[in-house]
């Protein structure tokens, strides 16, 4: 099993050198988030993930969760680890001080979440879902609801879930059948069944607060008739203490491909007491607070998986002896050379490294945008951050989850036959990571959201600020010889991105199916270019650091060489997606449905 090590040096590079978090935090009034404080928190989080969370990863996969008469038991060690997580104050880090939080920035918490996900994906999901529940209640709940539910959720003694999917209803939430009926006391009776509810039942916390979508009698059909409710496992008294058991039960847990240590539940609501969040029939609007938070979390899962797979692959590639290098013997004292000398192994390792580090930079940037939406006083700056998040969140979620899964596949491949064996842990990473491509809307759903709703829906206007950022970077670095190749390629790809957008828009005016035909390729093209932008920025920072002092030379040189690999071997993949977009939708739709056969 790979021994996970928190990538502290690269996390600090992204936060402090690439994104200048100290300046960012001071501008937003996060005065406690000094560089020394950030360093100390990251170091302690690394220690916790390496010593407490990571050792449970394989145990959790082997044992899984167990269900007995509605009671779910987590694997050995999980309950104690979660207790340590709460006692350490980790759930409170970026939460509001009003409800017992530490009031630190979201972006700092995001870096810690990456460590936890890389160390143990299943464990990280238990507290991870609580963040979305908290954000939803804080943004849309009443003062009473906040006082009742937030302190314990912030503390971590209660956890949260998101209850959307039903047996007949996945992405198309307008088809939901769960009902909500008004009670005399102003609460609601919630009845229905939800499936695939991550962390829906477990033994880690004292209460579980479900955020549930349901339909009131007489509500409009489809998504316009959805309302949102807080439905706790145990009812909550006026003072926030636990009362009697609510009519919420776990009917079963799923037997899954991966993340076996996280309980994926069927949850039954039998006239369970719930409380309306926000306005009637405006539930989907409120739910997007949770979903957008979760989508950024899933994007981080993809990047974290790439990092974990890279760590395991790198250690193995340096140690495993197989064949001689075709350019000459590299290990004359041994029977063969270590496989890291072979170009194809280098290809896989550098793919993992470029995706994990590029993804970390993108997630770090998006997390700082979230900081701005939380703490910025200037309405225009806040709106600009929201718009960039709207554009880049579906790209990050889909692109990084797809590439993260690819990187775990490379991990299995680097190990060869041993990668297919459970004891090495690489196949577990691959199984655990696949769900990230599905969570919070599949890649296809994210692509439609990006192209149809965001890009074409805004007539391309939502794209322009990010294109301006890229153009400004290219202009500022145009006269720097060491940046010339990056700038030339990046400028060309960003112009092509805009050109493709116009072409798809024109085709869609004649045939709306062109949007669906192009959407995934469009998103992947956008993902490669977006990561290219961040790799160019990282190369620029690394070059400046080398010119200034020469300290940590190996780190900065590796950063520049990885950027070059990305531009020469990964970014060109975008052209394949551009060619598919140009090919149009006709070949996809030419075969009649009844002609699909086997």
């Amino acid at each position: 099993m790979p021994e996970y090590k928190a990538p502290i040096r690269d996390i600090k590079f992204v936060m402090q050198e690439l994104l200048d978090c100290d300046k960012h935090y001071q501008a937003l009034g996060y005065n406690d988030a000094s560089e020394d404080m950030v360093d100390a928190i990251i170091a302690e989080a690394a220690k916790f993930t390496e010593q407490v969370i990571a050792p449970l990863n394989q145990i959790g996969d082997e044992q899984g969760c167990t269900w007995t008469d509605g009671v779910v038991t987590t694997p050995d060690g999980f309950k104690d680890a979660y207790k340590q997580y709460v006692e350490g104050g980790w759930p409170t880090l970026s939460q509001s001080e009003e409800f017992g939080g530490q009031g630190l920035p979201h972006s700092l918490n995001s870096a810690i979440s990456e460590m936890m996900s890389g160390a143990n994906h299943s464990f990280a999901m238990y507290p991870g879902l609580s963040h979305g529940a908290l954000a939803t209640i804080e943004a849309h709940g009443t003062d009473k609801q906040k006082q009742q539910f937030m302190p314990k959720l912030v503390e971590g003694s209660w956890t949260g879930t998101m209850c959307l999917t039903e047996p007949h209803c996945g992405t198309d939430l307008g088809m939901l059948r769960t009902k909500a009926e008004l009670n005399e006391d102003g609460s609601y009776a919630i009845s229905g069944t939800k499936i695939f509810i991550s962390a829906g039942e477990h033994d880690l916390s004292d209460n579980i607060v479900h955020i549930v979508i349901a339909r009131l009698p007489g509500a409009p059909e489809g998504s316009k008739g959805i309302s949102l409710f807080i439905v706790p496992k145990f009812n909550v008294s006026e003072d926030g203490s636990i009362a009697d058991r609510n009519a919420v039960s776990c009917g079963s847990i799923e037997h899954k491909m991966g993340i076996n240590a996280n309980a994926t539940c069927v949850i039954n609501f039998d006239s369970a007491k719930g409380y309306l969040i926000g306005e009637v029939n405006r539930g989907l609007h409120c739910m997007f607070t949770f979903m957008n938070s979760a989508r950024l979390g899933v994007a981080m899962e993809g990047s974290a998986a790439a990092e974990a797979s890279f760590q395991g692959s790198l250690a193995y590639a340096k140690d495993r002896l197989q064949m001689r290098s075709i350019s000459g013997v590299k290990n004359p004292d041994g029977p063969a050379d270590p496989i890291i000398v072979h170009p194809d192994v280098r290809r896989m390792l550098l793919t993992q490294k470029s995706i994990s580090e590029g993804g970390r930079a993108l997630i770090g940037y998006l997390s700082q945008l979230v900081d701005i939406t939380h703490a910025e006083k200037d309405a225009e700056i806040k709106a600009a951050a929201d718009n960039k998040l709207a554009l880049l969140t579906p790209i990050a979620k889909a692109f990084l989850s797809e590439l993260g899964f690819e990187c775990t596949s490379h991990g299995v491949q680097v190990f060869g036959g041993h990668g297919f064996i459970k004891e090495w842990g690489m196949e577990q990473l691959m199984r655990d990571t696949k769900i990230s491509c599905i969570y919070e809307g599949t890649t296809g759903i994210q692509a439609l959201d990006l192209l149809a709703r965001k890009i074409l829906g805004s007539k391309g206007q939502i794209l322009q600020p990010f294109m301006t950022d890229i153009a400004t970077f290219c202009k500022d670095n145009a006269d720097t010889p060491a940046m010339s190749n990056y700038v030339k390629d990046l400028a060309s790809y960003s112009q092509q991105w805009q050109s493709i957008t116009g072409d798809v828009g024109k085709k869609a005016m004649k045939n709306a199916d062109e949007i669906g035909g192009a959407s995934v390729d469009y998103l992947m093209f956008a993902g490669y270019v977006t990561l290219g932008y961040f790799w160019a920025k990282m190369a620029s920072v690394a070059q400046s650091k080398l010119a200034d002092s020469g300290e940590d030379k190996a780190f900065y040189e590796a950063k520049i060489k990885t950027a070059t690999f990305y531009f020469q071997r990964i970014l060109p993949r975008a052209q394949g997606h551009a060619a598919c977009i140009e090919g149009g939708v006709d070949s996809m739709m030419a075969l009649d449905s009844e002609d699909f056969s086997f």
Side-chain angles (χ1 to χ4, degrees):
M1 189 72 184
E3 183 181 356
Y4 178 82
K5 292 293 182 183
I8 294 177
R9 178 65 185 93
D10 201 63
I11 287 172
K12 291 169 70 172
F13 169 79
V14 168
M15 292 183 68
Q16 297 172 345
E17 300 174 54
L18 178 69
L19 299 175
D20 196 355
C21 67
D22 189 55
K23 180 180 178 182
H24 168 76
Y25 293 154
Q26 298 311 307
L28 292 175
Y30 290 113
N31 297 320
D32 290 339
S34 65
E35 185 172 332
D36 288 344
M37 176 66 80
V38 168
D39 286 348
I41 290 172
I42 289 174
E44 284 301 311
K47 187 187 302 182
F48 180 72
T49 54
E50 291 170 3
Q51 297 179 2
V52 178
I53 303 303
L56 299 176
N57 194 32
Q58 190 170 27
I59 296 169
D61 183 60
E62 291 171 351
Q63 292 186 359
C65 294
T66 57
W67 178 95
T68 304
D69 295 331
V71 177
V72 173
T73 304
T74 53
D76 291 346
F78 270 57
K79 190 170 184 177
D80 181 62
Y82 186 78
K83 181 182 178 183
Q84 292 182 56
Y85 173 77
V86 173
E87 289 175 347
W90 297 110
T92 70
L93 196 71
S94 62
Q95 299 301 329
S96 171
E97 293 178 273
E98 180 183 356
F99 302 105
Q102 298 179 53
L104 290 168
H106 168 83
S107 55
L108 176 55
N109 190 69
S110 178
I112 293 165
S113 295
E114 186 214 320
M115 297 183 209
M116 291 186 59
S117 184
N120 191 328
H121 187 166
S122 290
F123 182 91
M125 287 178 61
Y126 286 104
L129 286 161
S130 296
H131 295 151
L134 277 161
T136 304
I137 295 171
E138 186 165 22
H140 305 290
T142 65
D143 289 341
K144 180 180 177 181
Q145 289 169 350
K146 293 174 186 178
Q147 294 299 329
Q148 276 186 300
F149 294 100
M150 289 193 63
K152 293 295 186 181
L153 284 169
V154 166
E155 181 183 80
S157 58
W158 298 358
T159 56
T161 77
M162 174 168 56
C163 296
L164 306 181
T165 305
E166 300 183 7
H168 65 286
C169 163
T171 300
D172 190 355
L173 297 176
M175 295 173 61
L176 72 89
R177 293 174 183 163
T178 299
K179 300 184 299 181
E181 297 179 318
L182 183 64
N183 293 323
E184 290 183 2
D185 63 0
S187 66
Y188 290 80
I190 311 298
S191 298
T193 296
K194 300 289 184 178
I195 65 170
F196 303 157
I197 309 307
S198 300
E201 173 62 26
H202 54 79
D203 58 356
L204 305 184
S205 63
D206 298 331
N207 201 1
I208 301 173
V209 179
H210 302 286
I211 307 297
V212 185
I213 57 170
R215 192 184 305 280
L216 288 162
E221 293 296 319
S223 60
K224 293 182 179 179
I226 295 174
S227 297
L228 189 64
F229 301 88
I230 301 170
V231 187
K233 173 182 173 180
F234 288 95
N235 288 312
V236 179
S237 301
E238 293 285 332
D239 62 1
S241 62
I242 289 178
D244 58 325
R245 179 67 185 258
N246 203 357
V248 179
S249 62
C250 177
S252 64
I253 57 174
E254 305 295 349
H255 303 281
K256 312 186 294 291
M257 173 179 175
I259 57 166
N260 292 321
N262 190 272
T264 303
C265 304
V266 174
I267 300 293
N268 298 314
F269 300 93
D270 186 14
S271 295
K273 181 175 286 190
Y275 308 92
L276 179 70
I277 306 178
E279 300 176 25
V280 168
N281 300 333
R282 291 279 290 165
L284 204 56
H285 167 74
C286 298
M287 199 69 199
F288 268 107
T289 300
F290 200 140
M291 292 174 70
N292 285 331
S293 170
R295 284 170 178 172
L296 289 178
V298 174
M300 176 272 296
E301 289 174 358
S303 180
E307 172 68 35
S309 189
F310 171 64
Q311 290 188 17
S313 300
L314 179 62
Y316 187 81
K318 287 181 176 181
D319 184 64
R320 175 71 168 174
L321 303 181
Q322 288 284 282
M323 303 188 301
R324 291 297 186 186
S325 167
I326 59 176
S327 62
V329 174
K330 302 297 190 294
N331 179 34
D333 296 330
D337 290 326
I339 63 174
I340 197 170
V341 307
H342 303 309
D344 190 56
V345 173
R346 292 291 187 97
R347 172 187 64 84
M348 291 185 282
L349 290 172
L350 280 165
T351 298
Q352 293 171 318
K353 180 176 172 65
S354 67
I355 298 306
S356 66
E357 294 179 12
R360 181 174 297 119
L362 172 56
I363 295 298
Y365 172 72
L366 294 177
S367 298
Q368 286 198 349
L369 291 179
V370 174
D371 291 342
I372 292 171
T373 66
H374 288 172
E376 177 58 55
K377 300 296 189 291
D378 187 303
E380 288 188 13
I381 295 174
K382 194 170 184 175
D386 260 327
N387 283 337
K388 284 184 180 177
L389 280 168
L391 171 73
L392 294 173
T393 294
I395 295 173
K397 188 278 174 188
F399 181 76
L400 291 179
S401 63
E402 290 287 351
L403 270 291
F405 180 67
E406 177 191 328
C407 289
T408 63
S409 177
H410 288 320
V412 172
Q413 194 80 358
V414 167
F415 276 69
H418 291 286
F420 208 65
I421 304 301
K422 283 183 177 292
E423 67 185 88
W424 292 93
M426 303 310 286
E427 59 84 36
Q428 181 192 338
L429 274 172
M430 191 174 180
R431 287 186 289 105
D432 286 352
T433 303
K434 182 56 189 175
I435 190 61
S436 299
C437 303
I438 301 168
Y439 271 148
E440 312 311 328
T442 61
T443 300
I445 293 300
Q446 301 299 323
L448 279 175
D449 176 51
L450 174 68
L451 181 55
R453 195 165 75 88
K454 305 283 181 58
I455 302 290
L456 298 181
S458 70
K459 297 182 180 178
Q461 291 303 304
I462 197 172
L463 183 60
Q464 291 313 305
F466 188 57
M467 293 295 98
T468 299
D469 288 349
I470 294 176
T472 300
F473 173 82
C474 290
K475 181 180 178 181
D476 290 345
N477 289 273
D479 297 329
T480 305
M483 290 296 297
S484 59
N485 288 336
Y486 303 127
V487 167
K488 179 183 175 183
D489 287 349
L490 186 57
S492 175
Y493 275 100
S494 64
Q495 290 165 10
Q496 187 178 8
W497 185 351
Q498 295 174 81
S499 176
I500 289 171
T501 301
D503 291 344
V504 173
K506 290 176 184 176
K507 287 182 179 179
M509 293 177 70
K510 297 179 181 179
N511 179 3
D513 274 341
E514 290 287 352
I515 298 173
S519 59
V520 169
D521 287 295
Y522 182 93
L523 183 145
M524 297 302 288
F525 183 97
Y528 284 116
V529 178
T530 298
L531 232 61
Y533 169 59
F534 284 98
W535 266 114
K537 287 173 71 72
M538 287 191 284
S540 178
V541 172
Q543 288 166 0
S544 296
K545 294 292 183 179
L546 285 172
D548 288 345
S549 67
E551 292 182 5
D552 215 353
K553 183 178 179 181
F555 175 85
Y556 294 119
E557 287 183 343
K559 191 66 71 173
I560 293 167
K561 291 171 182 176
T562 307
T564 299
F565 172 84
Y566 184 87
F567 269 76
Q568 292 183 358
R569 299 302 300 259
I570 303 296
L571 182 57
R573 296 180 181 186
Q575 293 301 346
H577 292 289
C580 290
I581 294 169
E582 186 177 355
V585 75
D586 288 349
S587 63
M588 296 182 183
M589 309 304 290
L591 195 63
D592 290 337
S593 299
E594 55 268 23
D595 292 333
F596 280 90
S597 59
F598 54 87

